[in-house]
Amino acid sequence: MVIISSKQAVLYYSWSLVVLCLYMNHVRTEAELRVGYYSFSCALAEGIVKEEVRNAFIQNNGLAAGLVRMHFHDCFVRGCDGSVLIDTVNPSSPAEKDSPPNNPSLRGFEVIDRAKARIEAACASTVSCADIIAFAARDSVEITRGLGYEVPAGRKDGRVSLASDALANLPPPTSNVNQLTQSFGNKGLTQEEMVILSGAHTIGRSHCTSFSNRLYNFNSTTSQDPTLEPNYANQLKAACPQGSTNPNLVVPMDPLSPATSDVNYYQGVVANRGLFTSDQTLLTTQPTRAQVVQNSQDLFGWQKKFAAAMVKMGQIGVLTGNNTGEIRVNCRVIN
């Protein structure tokens, strides 16, 4: 039997508390996203992603919008787990990227591939593909003159990718305001954040098939959506002829500044020049209309709110710590 003094007992107890606190802090840290997650394990990671985004933007400024959209489409399906990057293995069970909401419109995969290859060469099996998407989206906002923001990291990559999940979770461009509110609410985002994130349509382009229903055969009583400003409708018809089967026909979502993260998108919606039904529907309720008008008049205010909403969106359903997940060596293939 070992006998210890009261002083030894106090010291032992104090030391045990220190060890317990350190352990609990480690567990808490591992289970949460945090800014600077790779500061020691792969300090070059964020800089590599930023450089690849910049190089891609110089070659094609539309890729910035593609990378922002990729982050959104990743997070809304199974959480922000990089599952949108996985290639289809079995044609009878296609992956997310081959679902109608993503194929052929989603782009920027090669930017993620290049960043991942460089990061793997510098720090093997350390940085997740999910985090690379989140970094690339932030850098895309910034390079299009949006407001930069810190990205909490520590996501793990998922092992499942199903086209059916994308169809079930991604709100289509034909959504009305109630459907959008519910879709975003299902992911823990408020109606206000839905309106704020809709502002991502200030950059990028759309295939004609995503909005041609508003131009031709709108419903049984009218061939054209009556909420669409006539001159804008004529411009869209010229770019997207009725009956065309050309999959390469695209138009900018914000014709005035398609490569700048500004509030022209909201000004267009106010003027009945929202490209999608899901854009123009924001004017159909008093709260969402008020937000659209406010955002249209306050560039810095919207940019701040957009940055905060992107950070919140980037935490949807993340796999962290000991949760099921992995660090994919190749973003297109499960380890």
Side-chain angles (χ1 to χ4, degrees):
M1 180 177 179
V2 178
I3 299 175
I4 61 175
S5 68
S6 58
K7 183 177 180 180
Q8 288 175 316
V10 170
L11 289 173
Y12 177 80
Y13 178 70
S14 299
W15 175 246
S16 298
L17 281 177
V18 171
V19 172
L20 179 62
C21 288
L22 288 172
Y23 171 75
M24 291 303 293
N25 185 62
H26 172 73
V27 171
R28 179 185 61 79
T29 300
E30 284 296 307
E32 295 177 356
L33 303 182
R34 69 178 188 273
V35 173
Y37 185 86
Y38 298 109
S39 295
F40 298 103
S41 60
C42 192
L44 296 175
E46 292 195 46
I48 288 173
V49 176
K50 187 180 292 290
E51 188 172 295
E52 289 301 329
V53 169
R54 183 174 64 249
N55 292 341
F57 185 80
I58 291 171
Q59 297 297 317
N60 180 353
N61 61 19
L63 283 174
L67 291 167
V68 172
R69 184 166 179 255
M70 182 186 291
H71 188 33
F72 169 70
H73 281 220
D74 184 39
C75 291
F76 263 56
V77 183
R78 308 189 72 88
C80 310
D81 66 348
S83 56
V84 74
L85 302 173
I86 297 173
D87 284 342
T88 294
V89 176
N90 181 357
S92 65
S93 181
E96 288 174 38
K97 62 166 53 172
D98 289 320
S99 66
N102 292 330
N103 187 6
S105 59
L106 203 61
R107 54 185 177 153
F109 295 107
E110 69 282 2
V111 182
I112 305 299
D113 289 339
R114 288 194 291 266
K116 178 62 171 175
R118 288 181 58 190
I119 289 172
E120 281 297 308
C123 339
S125 301
T126 302
V127 181
S128 70
C129 300
D131 279 341
I132 292 174
I133 295 176
F135 294 146
R138 181 269 313 277
D139 297 336
S140 296
V141 171
E142 193 170 356
I143 204 169
T144 54
R145 302 182 190 176
L147 195 65
Y149 55 92
E150 298 281 8
V151 175
R155 301 165 186 80
K156 295 295 191 295
D157 295 322
R159 298 188 177 97
V160 178
S161 183
L162 299 171
S164 57
D165 286 340
L167 282 168
N169 287 276
L170 292 170
T174 55
S175 300
N176 62 39
V177 71
N178 292 329
Q179 292 167 330
L180 289 171
T181 300
Q182 181 174 351
S183 178
F184 278 69
N186 290 341
K187 306 302 177 184
L189 298 168
T190 66
Q191 185 181 73
E192 181 181 7
E193 288 163 337
M194 177 271 289
V195 177
I196 291 165
L197 289 169
S198 293
H201 289 174
T202 188
I203 56 175
R205 67 186 191 183
S206 169
H207 286 75
C208 292
T209 52
S210 295
F211 59 85
S212 59
N213 66 301
R214 302 186 68 201
L215 304 176
Y216 312 107
N217 303 316
F218 181 65
N219 58 34
S220 59
T221 59
T222 179
S223 61
Q224 181 177 302
D225 185 344
T227 66
L228 193 58
E229 197 274 321
N231 290 330
Y232 184 47
N234 289 336
Q235 293 172 24
L236 295 176
K237 287 178 178 179
C240 304
Q242 185 173 15
S244 173
T245 58
N246 184 350
N248 298 318
L249 290 180
V250 295
V251 300
M253 291 188 287
D254 173 7
L256 295 179
S257 52
T260 304
S261 290
D262 55 26
V263 294
N264 282 340
Y265 160 77
Y266 293 106
Q267 293 170 1
V269 172
V270 171
N272 291 326
R273 286 174 166 250
L275 185 61
F276 306 128
T277 298
S278 59
D279 295 322
Q280 207 57 51
T281 192
L282 299 181
L283 294 186
T284 60
T285 73
Q286 192 282 325
T288 55
R289 183 184 184 89
Q291 292 164 41
V292 168
V293 172
Q294 180 184 33
N295 290 335
S296 73
Q297 300 169 349
D298 185 2
L299 172 61
F300 185 61
W302 169 72
Q303 288 181 330
K304 285 198 302 181
K305 290 183 289 186
F306 184 79
M310 286 290 285
V311 171
K312 183 176 177 180
M313 185 189 77
Q315 300 183 54
I316 296 173
V318 294
L319 304 173
T320 59
N322 295 323
N323 291 348
T324 302
E326 63 184 16
I327 304 295
R328 255 180 261 142
V329 175
N330 179 340
C331 291
R332 294 175 177 264
V333 182
I334 298 167
N335 291 346

Short mmCIF file of all heavy atoms in Angstrom, two decimals, residues 94-154:
data_model
loop_
_atom_site.label_atom_id
_atom_site.label_comp_id
_atom_site.label_asym_id
_atom_site.label_seq_id
_atom_site.Cartn_x
_atom_site.Cartn_y
_atom_site.Cartn_z
N PRO A 94 -24.61 7.06 -60.75
CA PRO A 94 -23.74 8.22 -61.00
C PRO A 94 -23.48 9.04 -59.73
O PRO A 94 -24.30 9.08 -58.82
CB PRO A 94 -24.52 9.02 -62.04
CG PRO A 94 -25.94 8.60 -61.88
CD PRO A 94 -25.89 7.16 -61.46
N ALA A 95 -22.34 9.70 -59.73
CA ALA A 95 -21.95 10.56 -58.61
C ALA A 95 -22.61 11.93 -58.73
O ALA A 95 -23.21 12.27 -59.76
CB ALA A 95 -20.43 10.71 -58.57
N GLU A 96 -22.48 12.74 -57.69
CA GLU A 96 -23.10 14.08 -57.64
C GLU A 96 -22.77 14.93 -58.86
O GLU A 96 -23.64 15.61 -59.42
CB GLU A 96 -22.64 14.84 -56.39
CG GLU A 96 -23.20 14.35 -55.09
CD GLU A 96 -22.56 15.07 -53.90
OE1 GLU A 96 -22.30 16.29 -54.02
OE2 GLU A 96 -22.33 14.42 -52.87
N LYS A 97 -21.51 14.92 -59.27
CA LYS A 97 -21.08 15.82 -60.34
C LYS A 97 -21.77 15.49 -61.67
O LYS A 97 -21.78 16.32 -62.57
CB LYS A 97 -19.57 15.79 -60.52
CG LYS A 97 -19.00 14.43 -60.92
CD LYS A 97 -17.55 14.51 -61.42
CE LYS A 97 -16.63 15.22 -60.47
NZ LYS A 97 -15.21 15.12 -60.90
N ASP A 98 -22.37 14.30 -61.78
CA ASP A 98 -23.04 13.92 -63.00
C ASP A 98 -24.56 14.03 -62.90
O ASP A 98 -25.29 13.57 -63.79
CB ASP A 98 -22.65 12.48 -63.40
CG ASP A 98 -21.22 12.40 -63.89
OD1 ASP A 98 -20.80 13.32 -64.61
OD2 ASP A 98 -20.52 11.44 -63.54
N SER A 99 -25.05 14.67 -61.85
CA SER A 99 -26.48 14.91 -61.72
C SER A 99 -26.86 16.13 -62.57
O SER A 99 -26.02 16.99 -62.84
CB SER A 99 -26.85 15.16 -60.26
OG SER A 99 -26.26 16.37 -59.81
N PRO A 100 -28.12 16.24 -63.01
CA PRO A 100 -28.54 17.37 -63.85
C PRO A 100 -28.21 18.75 -63.26
O PRO A 100 -27.84 19.66 -64.03
CB PRO A 100 -30.05 17.16 -63.99
CG PRO A 100 -30.21 15.67 -63.91
CD PRO A 100 -29.20 15.22 -62.89
N PRO A 101 -28.30 18.98 -61.94
CA PRO A 101 -27.95 20.31 -61.44
C PRO A 101 -26.46 20.66 -61.60
O PRO A 101 -26.08 21.82 -61.52
CB PRO A 101 -28.32 20.24 -59.95
CG PRO A 101 -29.30 19.13 -59.84
CD PRO A 101 -28.86 18.13 -60.87
N ASN A 102 -25.62 19.62 -61.80
CA ASN A 102 -24.17 19.85 -61.86
C ASN A 102 -23.56 19.63 -63.24
O ASN A 102 -22.51 20.19 -63.55
CB ASN A 102 -23.46 18.93 -60.86
CG ASN A 102 -23.77 19.30 -59.43
OD1 ASN A 102 -24.01 20.46 -59.11
ND2 ASN A 102 -23.79 18.31 -58.54
N ASN A 103 -24.16 18.82 -64.03
CA ASN A 103 -23.59 18.45 -65.33
C ASN A 103 -24.53 18.91 -66.44
O ASN A 103 -25.68 18.50 -66.49
CB ASN A 103 -23.39 16.94 -65.40
CG ASN A 103 -22.66 16.48 -66.65
OD1 ASN A 103 -22.19 17.30 -67.43
ND2 ASN A 103 -22.57 15.18 -66.84
N PRO A 104 -24.07 19.82 -67.33
CA PRO A 104 -22.67 20.22 -67.56
C PRO A 104 -22.29 21.56 -66.96
O PRO A 104 -21.25 22.13 -67.30
CB PRO A 104 -22.64 20.32 -69.09
CG PRO A 104 -23.99 20.89 -69.42
CD PRO A 104 -24.95 20.29 -68.42
N SER A 105 -23.10 22.11 -66.07
CA SER A 105 -22.91 23.50 -65.67
C SER A 105 -21.80 23.72 -64.63
O SER A 105 -21.20 24.80 -64.59
CB SER A 105 -24.22 24.08 -65.12
OG SER A 105 -24.67 23.32 -64.02
N LEU A 106 -21.55 22.74 -63.77
CA LEU A 106 -20.55 22.95 -62.71
C LEU A 106 -19.15 22.89 -63.30
O LEU A 106 -18.83 21.99 -64.09
CB LEU A 106 -20.72 21.89 -61.62
CG LEU A 106 -20.18 22.27 -60.24
CD1 LEU A 106 -20.91 23.50 -59.70
CD2 LEU A 106 -20.34 21.11 -59.27
N ARG A 107 -18.31 23.84 -62.92
CA ARG A 107 -16.96 23.89 -63.46
C ARG A 107 -15.96 24.33 -62.40
O ARG A 107 -16.33 24.85 -61.37
CB ARG A 107 -16.92 24.84 -64.66
CG ARG A 107 -17.46 26.23 -64.36
CD ARG A 107 -17.51 27.09 -65.60
NE ARG A 107 -18.09 28.39 -65.34
CZ ARG A 107 -17.82 29.48 -66.02
NH1 ARG A 107 -16.94 29.42 -67.02
NH2 ARG A 107 -18.40 30.63 -65.74
N GLY A 108 -14.68 24.11 -62.73
CA GLY A 108 -13.61 24.45 -61.80
C GLY A 108 -12.92 23.25 -61.20
O GLY A 108 -12.01 23.40 -60.37
N PHE A 109 -13.32 22.05 -61.62
CA PHE A 109 -12.73 20.84 -61.04
C PHE A 109 -11.21 20.79 -61.26
O PHE A 109 -10.47 20.34 -60.39
CB PHE A 109 -13.37 19.58 -61.65
CG PHE A 109 -14.83 19.43 -61.33
CD1 PHE A 109 -15.80 19.65 -62.30
CD2 PHE A 109 -15.24 19.08 -60.05
CE1 PHE A 109 -17.14 19.50 -62.01
CE2 PHE A 109 -16.58 18.94 -59.74
CZ PHE A 109 -17.54 19.15 -60.72
N GLU A 110 -10.77 21.26 -62.42
CA GLU A 110 -9.34 21.20 -62.72
C GLU A 110 -8.54 22.14 -61.81
O GLU A 110 -7.37 21.89 -61.52
CB GLU A 110 -9.08 21.53 -64.20
CG GLU A 110 -9.34 22.97 -64.61
CD GLU A 110 -10.80 23.33 -64.81
OE1 GLU A 110 -11.68 22.45 -64.60
OE2 GLU A 110 -11.07 24.48 -65.19
N VAL A 111 -9.16 23.21 -61.33
CA VAL A 111 -8.48 24.12 -60.40
C VAL A 111 -8.23 23.40 -59.07
O VAL A 111 -7.14 23.49 -58.49
CB VAL A 111 -9.32 25.39 -60.17
CG1 VAL A 111 -8.58 26.35 -59.25
CG2 VAL A 111 -9.65 26.07 -61.50
N ILE A 112 -9.23 22.69 -58.60
CA ILE A 112 -9.08 21.91 -57.36
C ILE A 112 -8.04 20.83 -57.54
O ILE A 112 -7.21 20.59 -56.66
CB ILE A 112 -10.43 21.30 -56.95
CG1 ILE A 112 -11.51 22.38 -56.81
CG2 ILE A 112 -10.28 20.52 -55.65
CD1 ILE A 112 -11.23 23.42 -55.77
N ASP A 113 -8.05 20.17 -58.70
CA ASP A 113 -7.07 19.11 -58.98
C ASP A 113 -5.64 19.65 -58.91
O ASP A 113 -4.75 19.02 -58.29
CB ASP A 113 -7.29 18.51 -60.37
CG ASP A 113 -8.55 17.66 -60.45
OD1 ASP A 113 -9.04 17.20 -59.41
OD2 ASP A 113 -9.06 17.46 -61.59
N ARG A 114 -5.41 20.79 -59.53
CA ARG A 114 -4.06 21.36 -59.53
C ARG A 114 -3.62 21.76 -58.13
O ARG A 114 -2.47 21.51 -57.72
CB ARG A 114 -3.99 22.56 -60.48
CG ARG A 114 -4.06 22.18 -61.96
CD ARG A 114 -3.65 23.35 -62.85
NE ARG A 114 -4.62 24.42 -62.82
CZ ARG A 114 -5.61 24.56 -63.70
NH1 ARG A 114 -5.75 23.67 -64.69
NH2 ARG A 114 -6.45 25.58 -63.63
N ALA A 115 -4.52 22.38 -57.38
CA ALA A 115 -4.17 22.78 -56.01
C ALA A 115 -3.88 21.55 -55.15
O ALA A 115 -2.90 21.53 -54.39
CB ALA A 115 -5.31 23.60 -55.41
N LYS A 116 -4.71 20.53 -55.29
CA LYS A 116 -4.52 19.31 -54.49
C LYS A 116 -3.20 18.64 -54.82
O LYS A 116 -2.48 18.19 -53.91
CB LYS A 116 -5.69 18.36 -54.76
CG LYS A 116 -5.59 17.02 -54.01
CD LYS A 116 -5.60 17.21 -52.50
CE LYS A 116 -5.72 15.85 -51.80
NZ LYS A 116 -5.63 15.99 -50.31
N ALA A 117 -2.84 18.56 -56.10
CA ALA A 117 -1.59 17.91 -56.48
C ALA A 117 -0.40 18.63 -55.87
O ALA A 117 0.54 17.99 -55.35
CB ALA A 117 -1.47 17.88 -58.01
N ARG A 118 -0.41 19.95 -55.89
CA ARG A 118 0.70 20.72 -55.31
C ARG A 118 0.75 20.57 -53.79
O ARG A 118 1.83 20.46 -53.20
CB ARG A 118 0.56 22.20 -55.68
CG ARG A 118 0.86 22.50 -57.15
CD ARG A 118 0.74 23.99 -57.43
NE ARG A 118 1.64 24.78 -56.60
CZ ARG A 118 1.60 26.10 -56.50
NH1 ARG A 118 0.69 26.79 -57.20
NH2 ARG A 118 2.45 26.75 -55.73
N ILE A 119 -0.42 20.56 -53.18
CA ILE A 119 -0.47 20.42 -51.72
C ILE A 119 0.00 19.03 -51.31
O ILE A 119 0.74 18.88 -50.32
CB ILE A 119 -1.89 20.71 -51.20
CG1 ILE A 119 -2.19 22.20 -51.33
CG2 ILE A 119 -2.04 20.26 -49.75
CD1 ILE A 119 -3.63 22.57 -51.02
N GLU A 120 -0.40 18.00 -52.04
CA GLU A 120 0.05 16.64 -51.73
C GLU A 120 1.57 16.53 -51.84
O GLU A 120 2.21 15.83 -51.05
CB GLU A 120 -0.62 15.62 -52.65
CG GLU A 120 -2.04 15.27 -52.29
CD GLU A 120 -2.15 14.60 -50.93
OE1 GLU A 120 -1.44 13.62 -50.68
OE2 GLU A 120 -2.95 15.08 -50.10
N ALA A 121 2.15 17.22 -52.81
CA ALA A 121 3.61 17.18 -52.96
C ALA A 121 4.30 17.85 -51.79
O ALA A 121 5.40 17.46 -51.39
CB ALA A 121 4.00 17.87 -54.27
N ALA A 122 3.63 18.85 -51.21
CA ALA A 122 4.23 19.59 -50.07
C ALA A 122 3.92 18.94 -48.73
O ALA A 122 4.77 18.90 -47.84
CB ALA A 122 3.73 21.03 -50.08
N CYS A 123 2.70 18.43 -48.57
CA CYS A 123 2.25 17.87 -47.29
C CYS A 123 1.28 16.72 -47.57
O CYS A 123 0.07 16.96 -47.66
CB CYS A 123 1.56 18.90 -46.41
SG CYS A 123 1.91 20.63 -46.78
N ALA A 124 1.81 15.55 -47.75
CA ALA A 124 0.99 14.41 -48.15
C ALA A 124 -0.07 14.06 -47.11
O ALA A 124 0.18 14.09 -45.90
CB ALA A 124 1.88 13.19 -48.40
N SER A 125 -1.27 13.75 -47.61
CA SER A 125 -2.38 13.24 -46.79
C SER A 125 -2.69 14.12 -45.58
O SER A 125 -2.93 13.63 -44.47
CB SER A 125 -2.07 11.81 -46.32
OG SER A 125 -1.87 10.95 -47.41
N THR A 126 -2.68 15.42 -45.81
CA THR A 126 -2.88 16.36 -44.70
C THR A 126 -4.08 17.28 -44.91
O THR A 126 -4.85 17.51 -43.98
CB THR A 126 -1.61 17.23 -44.52
OG1 THR A 126 -0.49 16.39 -44.28
CG2 THR A 126 -1.78 18.21 -43.37
N VAL A 127 -4.25 17.81 -46.10
CA VAL A 127 -5.28 18.81 -46.38
C VAL A 127 -6.43 18.16 -47.15
O VAL A 127 -6.22 17.55 -48.19
CB VAL A 127 -4.71 19.99 -47.18
CG1 VAL A 127 -5.78 21.04 -47.45
CG2 VAL A 127 -3.53 20.60 -46.44
N SER A 128 -7.64 18.31 -46.63
CA SER A 128 -8.80 17.68 -47.26
C SER A 128 -9.23 18.43 -48.52
O SER A 128 -9.02 19.64 -48.67
CB SER A 128 -9.97 17.61 -46.29
OG SER A 128 -10.49 18.91 -46.03
N CYS A 129 -9.87 17.70 -49.39
CA CYS A 129 -10.44 18.30 -50.61
C CYS A 129 -11.56 19.26 -50.25
O CYS A 129 -11.75 20.29 -50.89
CB CYS A 129 -10.95 17.21 -51.53
SG CYS A 129 -9.67 16.03 -52.05
N ALA A 130 -12.32 18.92 -49.19
CA ALA A 130 -13.42 19.78 -48.74
C ALA A 130 -12.90 21.14 -48.31
O ALA A 130 -13.51 22.18 -48.60
CB ALA A 130 -14.17 19.11 -47.60
N ASP A 131 -11.77 21.17 -47.62
CA ASP A 131 -11.17 22.44 -47.21
C ASP A 131 -10.64 23.21 -48.42
O ASP A 131 -10.73 24.44 -48.48
CB ASP A 131 -10.04 22.21 -46.21
CG ASP A 131 -10.54 21.99 -44.79
OD1 ASP A 131 -11.70 22.35 -44.50
OD2 ASP A 131 -9.77 21.46 -43.96
N ILE A 132 -10.10 22.50 -49.39
CA ILE A 132 -9.59 23.17 -50.59
C ILE A 132 -10.72 23.88 -51.32
O ILE A 132 -10.57 25.02 -51.78
CB ILE A 132 -8.88 22.16 -51.51
CG1 ILE A 132 -7.58 21.66 -50.85
CG2 ILE A 132 -8.55 22.80 -52.87
CD1 ILE A 132 -6.87 20.56 -51.62
N ILE A 133 -11.90 23.25 -51.40
CA ILE A 133 -13.05 23.89 -52.03
C ILE A 133 -13.42 25.16 -51.27
O ILE A 133 -13.69 26.21 -51.87
CB ILE A 133 -14.27 22.95 -52.07
CG1 ILE A 133 -14.00 21.74 -52.97
CG2 ILE A 133 -15.51 23.70 -52.58
CD1 ILE A 133 -15.14 20.72 -52.96
N ALA A 134 -13.44 25.08 -49.94
CA ALA A 134 -13.81 26.24 -49.12
C ALA A 134 -12.81 27.38 -49.30
O ALA A 134 -13.21 28.55 -49.41
CB ALA A 134 -13.90 25.83 -47.65
N PHE A 135 -11.52 27.05 -49.35
CA PHE A 135 -10.50 28.08 -49.58
C PHE A 135 -10.67 28.70 -50.96
O PHE A 135 -10.58 29.92 -51.14
CB PHE A 135 -9.09 27.47 -49.47
CG PHE A 135 -8.71 26.98 -48.10
CD1 PHE A 135 -7.89 25.87 -47.96
CD2 PHE A 135 -9.15 27.62 -46.96
CE1 PHE A 135 -7.52 25.42 -46.71
CE2 PHE A 135 -8.79 27.17 -45.69
CZ PHE A 135 -7.97 26.06 -45.57
N ALA A 136 -10.90 27.85 -51.97
CA ALA A 136 -11.02 28.33 -53.34
C ALA A 136 -12.23 29.24 -53.51
O ALA A 136 -12.18 30.23 -54.26
CB ALA A 136 -11.11 27.14 -54.30
N ALA A 137 -13.33 28.92 -52.83
CA ALA A 137 -14.52 29.77 -52.91
C ALA A 137 -14.23 31.14 -52.31
O ALA A 137 -14.59 32.18 -52.88
CB ALA A 137 -15.69 29.11 -52.18
N ARG A 138 -13.57 31.16 -51.15
CA ARG A 138 -13.20 32.43 -50.51
C ARG A 138 -12.29 33.25 -51.43
O ARG A 138 -12.51 34.45 -51.62
CB ARG A 138 -12.51 32.14 -49.19
CG ARG A 138 -12.07 33.37 -48.38
CD ARG A 138 -10.65 33.83 -48.67
NE ARG A 138 -9.68 32.77 -48.70
CZ ARG A 138 -9.09 32.25 -47.62
NH1 ARG A 138 -9.36 32.71 -46.42
NH2 ARG A 138 -8.19 31.27 -47.75
N ASP A 139 -11.30 32.60 -52.02
CA ASP A 139 -10.37 33.31 -52.89
C ASP A 139 -11.07 33.82 -54.14
O ASP A 139 -10.71 34.87 -54.68
CB ASP A 139 -9.22 32.38 -53.27
CG ASP A 139 -8.39 31.95 -52.06
OD1 ASP A 139 -8.40 32.68 -51.05
OD2 ASP A 139 -7.76 30.88 -52.13
N SER A 140 -12.10 33.10 -54.59
CA SER A 140 -12.86 33.53 -55.77
C SER A 140 -13.69 34.76 -55.47
O SER A 140 -13.82 35.65 -56.30
CB SER A 140 -13.75 32.38 -56.24
OG SER A 140 -12.98 31.28 -56.68
N VAL A 141 -14.26 34.81 -54.28
CA VAL A 141 -15.00 36.00 -53.85
C VAL A 141 -14.05 37.20 -53.80
O VAL A 141 -14.36 38.28 -54.30
CB VAL A 141 -15.66 35.79 -52.47
CG1 VAL A 141 -16.25 37.09 -51.94
CG2 VAL A 141 -16.74 34.72 -52.56
N GLU A 142 -12.90 36.97 -53.23
CA GLU A 142 -11.94 38.06 -53.06
C GLU A 142 -11.39 38.56 -54.40
O GLU A 142 -11.27 39.78 -54.60
CB GLU A 142 -10.79 37.58 -52.17
CG GLU A 142 -9.89 38.67 -51.67
CD GLU A 142 -8.91 38.19 -50.61
OE1 GLU A 142 -8.98 37.02 -50.21
OE2 GLU A 142 -8.07 39.01 -50.17
N ILE A 143 -11.11 37.64 -55.31
CA ILE A 143 -10.50 38.05 -56.58
C ILE A 143 -11.51 38.76 -57.49
O ILE A 143 -11.13 39.48 -58.41
CB ILE A 143 -9.89 36.82 -57.31
CG1 ILE A 143 -8.78 37.28 -58.27
CG2 ILE A 143 -10.95 36.02 -58.06
CD1 ILE A 143 -7.94 36.15 -58.83
N THR A 144 -12.81 38.59 -57.19
CA THR A 144 -13.84 39.31 -57.94
C THR A 144 -14.27 40.59 -57.21
O THR A 144 -15.37 41.09 -57.41
CB THR A 144 -15.07 38.41 -58.20
OG1 THR A 144 -15.55 37.89 -56.96
CG2 THR A 144 -14.72 37.26 -59.13
N ARG A 145 -13.39 41.08 -56.35
CA ARG A 145 -13.57 42.33 -55.62
C ARG A 145 -14.61 42.24 -54.51
O ARG A 145 -15.18 43.25 -54.08
CB ARG A 145 -13.92 43.49 -56.56
CG ARG A 145 -12.89 43.73 -57.66
CD ARG A 145 -13.28 44.92 -58.51
NE ARG A 145 -12.43 45.03 -59.70
CZ ARG A 145 -12.59 45.92 -60.67
NH1 ARG A 145 -13.58 46.80 -60.58
NH2 ARG A 145 -11.80 45.95 -61.71
N GLY A 146 -14.83 41.02 -54.05
CA GLY A 146 -15.67 40.85 -52.87
C GLY A 146 -14.83 41.03 -51.62
O GLY A 146 -13.62 41.30 -51.69
N LEU A 147 -15.46 40.85 -50.48
CA LEU A 147 -14.77 41.03 -49.20
C LEU A 147 -14.12 39.72 -48.79
O LEU A 147 -14.77 38.67 -48.76
CB LEU A 147 -15.78 41.48 -48.14
CG LEU A 147 -15.21 42.04 -46.83
CD1 LEU A 147 -14.46 43.34 -47.10
CD2 LEU A 147 -16.34 42.29 -45.84
N GLY A 148 -12.81 39.76 -48.50
CA GLY A 148 -12.12 38.57 -48.04
C GLY A 148 -12.57 38.17 -46.64
O GLY A 148 -13.08 39.00 -45.89
N TYR A 149 -12.41 36.90 -46.30
CA TYR A 149 -12.79 36.43 -44.97
C TYR A 149 -11.95 35.22 -44.59
O TYR A 149 -11.37 34.54 -45.45
CB TYR A 149 -14.29 36.08 -44.92
CG TYR A 149 -14.75 35.08 -45.97
CD1 TYR A 149 -14.77 33.72 -45.71
CD2 TYR A 149 -15.18 35.51 -47.23
CE1 TYR A 149 -15.19 32.80 -46.67
CE2 TYR A 149 -15.61 34.61 -48.19
CZ TYR A 149 -15.62 33.26 -47.91
OH TYR A 149 -16.04 32.36 -48.86
N GLU A 150 -11.85 34.99 -43.29
CA GLU A 150 -11.10 33.84 -42.79
C GLU A 150 -11.95 32.58 -42.92
O GLU A 150 -13.15 32.60 -42.65
CB GLU A 150 -10.72 34.04 -41.32
CG GLU A 150 -9.82 35.24 -41.06
CD GLU A 150 -8.37 34.95 -41.40
OE1 GLU A 150 -8.08 33.87 -41.96
OE2 GLU A 150 -7.51 35.80 -41.10
N VAL A 151 -11.32 31.48 -43.34
CA VAL A 151 -12.04 30.21 -43.51
C VAL A 151 -11.64 29.23 -42.40
O VAL A 151 -10.50 28.76 -42.38
CB VAL A 151 -11.73 29.58 -44.89
CG1 VAL A 151 -12.38 28.21 -45.00
CG2 VAL A 151 -12.21 30.49 -46.00
N PRO A 152 -12.55 28.93 -41.48
CA PRO A 152 -12.26 27.86 -40.51
C PRO A 152 -12.12 26.54 -41.26
O PRO A 152 -12.92 26.23 -42.15
CB PRO A 152 -13.50 27.86 -39.61
CG PRO A 152 -14.15 29.19 -39.83
CD PRO A 152 -13.86 29.55 -41.26
N ALA A 153 -11.09 25.77 -40.93
CA ALA A 153 -10.83 24.52 -41.65
C ALA A 153 -10.75 23.35 -40.67
O ALA A 153 -10.86 23.52 -39.46
CB ALA A 153 -9.54 24.65 -42.46
N GLY A 154 -10.55 22.17 -41.23
CA GLY A 154 -10.52 20.95 -40.44
C GLY A 154 -11.55 19.93 -40.90
O GLY A 154 -11.81 18.94 -40.23
#
